[in-house]
Amino acid sequence: DSGVTQTPKHLITATGQRVTLRCSPRSGDLSVYWYQQSLDQGLQFLIQYYNGEERAKGNILERFSAQQFPDLHSELNLSSLELGDSALYFCASSLPGRAAETQYFGPGTRLLVL
Amino acid sequence: GEDVEQSLFLSVREGDSSVINCTYTDSSSTYLYWYKQEPGAGLQLLTYIFSNMDMKQDQRLTVLLNKKDKHLSLRIADTQTGDSAIYFCAESPMNTGFQKLVFGTGTRLLVSP
């Protein structure tokens, strides 16, 4: 158990819908990262937040957005969903300044868009 | 550019050593990581190595780094069936300020009894 929690574990929805994925980082970690794992794209970095502010952006679609709240939990919002958005979405957290700034991953949310 | 490559599949017998290889392109990466993903599970950090090191050993795991060739390997000694999983190497390019990990495609390790 990495200490990072994600809910829900599974999500099934229809095209055009909007969903919210939630992540709680490890106690004390200030950074939260979101990754998408799909069969065709592999593991891709989406976005990072540090202490409530966006720090870095990767291959995140405009239909996707994220935020980090004062209690440091984060939400990833996916809207106008398409079949190709079906994937495993991981959240990771780290404590900047720690050697190697190692990222610890949650169990993921498996999203299926029908 | 950022590109991390791994072979897709490795099959070994229980008790043998496994060697999983990885090549990366960004020489600015200060740390390189190995993660393990079991079926239906998240990514578990196995180990990492600092770029000024050639080798790091942690129980059954040995990481070798050839910075000149940008080659990273993970050796698992006395491989067990419980080691069957997908193994990802990852780099953290310095130009991203360590903000993200760039992952390889993953190597599926199958350990047979």
Side-chain angles (χ1 to χ4, degrees):
Chain A
D1 184 358
S2 66
V4 178
T5 60
Q6 289 187 249
T7 56
K9 196 169 181 180
H10 301 278
L11 201 48
I12 301 174
T13 188
T15 54
Q17 295 298 305
R18 172 189 168 95
V19 297
T20 297
L21 313 184
R22 184 189 168 101
C23 166
S24 292
R26 283 160 38 111
S27 177
D29 283 359
L30 299 177
S31 274
V32 168
Y33 309 76
W34 286 96
Y35 291 83
Q36 179 194 58
Q37 185 179 33
S38 61
L39 283 175
D40 53 345
Q41 299 283 337
L43 262 164
Q44 300 272 321
F45 168 74
L46 295 178
I47 198 163
Q48 181 214 358
Y49 278 80
Y50 171 72
N51 205 19
E53 294 193 4
E54 182 184 303
R55 177 65 72 91
K57 227 169 183 175
N59 300 324
I60 188 166
L61 299 170
E62 283 191 14
R63 300 183 285 109
F64 296 1
S65 65
Q67 54 184 328
Q68 187 179 28
F69 295 87
D71 67 352
L72 300 176
H73 91 271
S74 177
E75 291 181 357
L76 179 67
N77 300 296
L78 315 176
S79 61
S80 302
L81 284 167
E82 301 175 359
L83 296 177
D85 297 327
S86 295
L88 193 48
Y89 291 84
F90 286 112
C91 166
S93 73
S94 74
L95 178 61
R98 180 195 294 146
E101 200 168 321
T102 47
Q103 294 181 27
Y104 293 88
F105 283 73
T109 293
R110 188 172 294 278
L111 173 66
L112 180 59
V113 182
L114 300 175
Chain B
E2 303 163 354
D3 196 13
V4 181
E5 294 189 357
Q6 300 178 238
S7 51
L8 290 179
F9 189 74
L10 176 65
S11 179
V12 300
R13 287 199 173 276
E14 194 172 23
D16 289 350
S17 291
S18 307
V19 179
I20 302 171
N21 294 302
C22 169
T23 57
Y24 61 98
T25 54
D26 199 315
S27 58
S28 72
S29 291
T30 303
Y31 291 99
L32 295 139
Y33 306 83
W34 284 103
Y35 282 85
K36 175 184 179 183
Q37 185 177 29
E38 294 182 85
L43 291 159
Q44 175 194 353
L45 175 66
L46 286 178
T47 186
Y48 62 89
I49 188 167
F50 188 49
S51 60
N52 70 351
M53 297 170 64
D54 297 324
M55 185 182 84
K56 180 179 179 182
Q57 188 150 3
D58 184 0
Q59 299 182 338
R60 293 192 296 121
L61 304 179
T62 303
V63 178
L64 295 178
L65 176 60
N66 181 329
K67 200 172 179 183
K68 175 175 166 286
D69 294 338
K70 299 192 187 74
H71 183 265
L72 182 72
S73 68
L74 174 70
R75 178 177 179 270
I76 305 172
D78 187 27
T79 316
Q80 303 297 306
T81 54
D83 295 324
S84 293
I86 302 176
Y87 291 80
F88 292 91
C89 68
E91 61 174 346
S92 56
M94 198 170 184
N95 62 359
T96 69
F98 307 111
Q99 310 300 349
K100 69 176 184 181
L101 294 175
V102 177
F103 284 90
T105 50
T107 299
R108 184 178 296 272
L109 174 64
L110 178 64
V111 183
S112 53

